Amino acid sequence: MRALLIIDVQNDYFPSGKYELHAPEAALDAIKDLLKYFREKNLPVFYVQHISEEDADFFVPGTEGAEIHRDIAPQSGEKVIIKHEPNSFYETALQNELSQSGVTELVVCGMMTHMCVDTTVRAAKDYGYHTILVEDACATRDLEWNQEWIPAETVQKVFMASLNQEFACVTTSIELKRS
């Protein structure tokens, strides 16, 4: 069975949040389309919500920034998995929930491509899932390495290219809905 896995689409990643990403609204629009599609097909939807330590820079427990974006708020029956590390499977109930639901194929989207999305997609392979990564439904940010800034667009392309084929089938939200 196919399921949608939405990773860390939380308020702190959006404008006026504590850790704004590059073009999070565009990713959110694609995620909303995916969510509508999965709900119409009555397929399972799982959310992952990162909660940090009390003294963290963002996703602080009990803050509005740590909340899942209201435009994709979970509905009754949709599971929310709390995590504290980049890997959505690490010390969480995700694997158990997916197994109990009979999920064998994961459609992954969310934030941040270079961190939690990447780590979760790689872990999903270790658990034996066929994984589809939806590139336009993911967001990242500019990264700094050796005193040089790497634009978010480049970061996104590099991570999609490195995950494609070996760890996931990378596609777009439009292509996914056609399949």
Side-chain angles (χ1 to χ4, degrees):
M1 176 186 304
R2 180 181 272 189
L4 180 62
L5 182 63
I6 302 171
I7 301 172
D8 300 349
V9 182
Q10 296 167 244
N11 294 327
D12 272 342
Y13 283 151
F14 290 85
S16 76
K18 292 182 178 180
Y19 204 77
E20 184 177 349
L21 300 183
H22 173 75
E25 300 90 346
L28 179 64
D29 286 343
I31 293 166
K32 289 189 300 191
D33 286 344
L34 289 172
L35 187 56
K36 180 181 178 197
Y37 175 81
F38 272 75
R39 286 174 174 166
E40 287 173 353
K41 299 278 186 192
N42 204 26
L43 292 169
V45 175
F46 295 86
Y47 293 80
V48 176
Q49 181 181 18
H50 193 108
I51 301 296
S52 298
E53 303 284 327
E54 291 285 339
D55 61 347
D57 293 333
F58 59 101
F59 294 162
V60 175
T63 65
E64 184 179 331
E67 296 302 315
I68 294 170
H69 196 283
R70 70 179 176 277
D71 287 1
I72 59 161
Q75 293 182 352
S76 177
E78 296 174 344
K79 303 279 185 182
V80 177
I81 308 296
I82 303 296
K83 72 175 178 61
H84 306 287
E85 300 292 336
N87 180 348
S88 299
F89 290 94
Y90 182 72
E91 295 184 353
T92 72
L94 181 58
Q95 169 56 16
N96 187 49
E97 293 289 345
L98 294 173
S99 180
Q100 285 182 356
S101 297
V103 173
T104 56
E105 182 177 74
L106 287 177
V107 175
V108 178
C109 61
M111 303 176 180
M112 292 186 292
T113 303
H114 72 275
M115 185 63 68
C116 299
V117 172
D118 173 69
T119 306
T120 299
V121 166
R122 290 172 187 270
K125 180 179 180 176
D126 293 339
Y127 283 99
Y129 291 101
H130 176 259
T131 304
I132 299 168
L133 179 57
V134 186
E135 66 172 322
D136 59 323
C138 294
T140 191
R141 64 190 312 261
D142 297 346
L143 295 179
E144 187 268 332
W145 176 250
N146 279 342
Q147 301 173 344
E148 182 180 339
W149 283 98
I150 304 164
E153 295 92 345
T154 301
V155 172
Q156 182 81 351
K157 289 175 186 175
V158 167
F159 275 84
M160 292 300 159
S162 67
L163 292 170
N164 191 37
Q165 296 180 344
E166 184 63 31
F167 296 97
C169 173
V170 177
T171 191
T172 65
S173 56
I174 292 169
E175 290 169 350
L176 179 84
K177 291 187 292 185
R178 289 184 191 150
S179 65

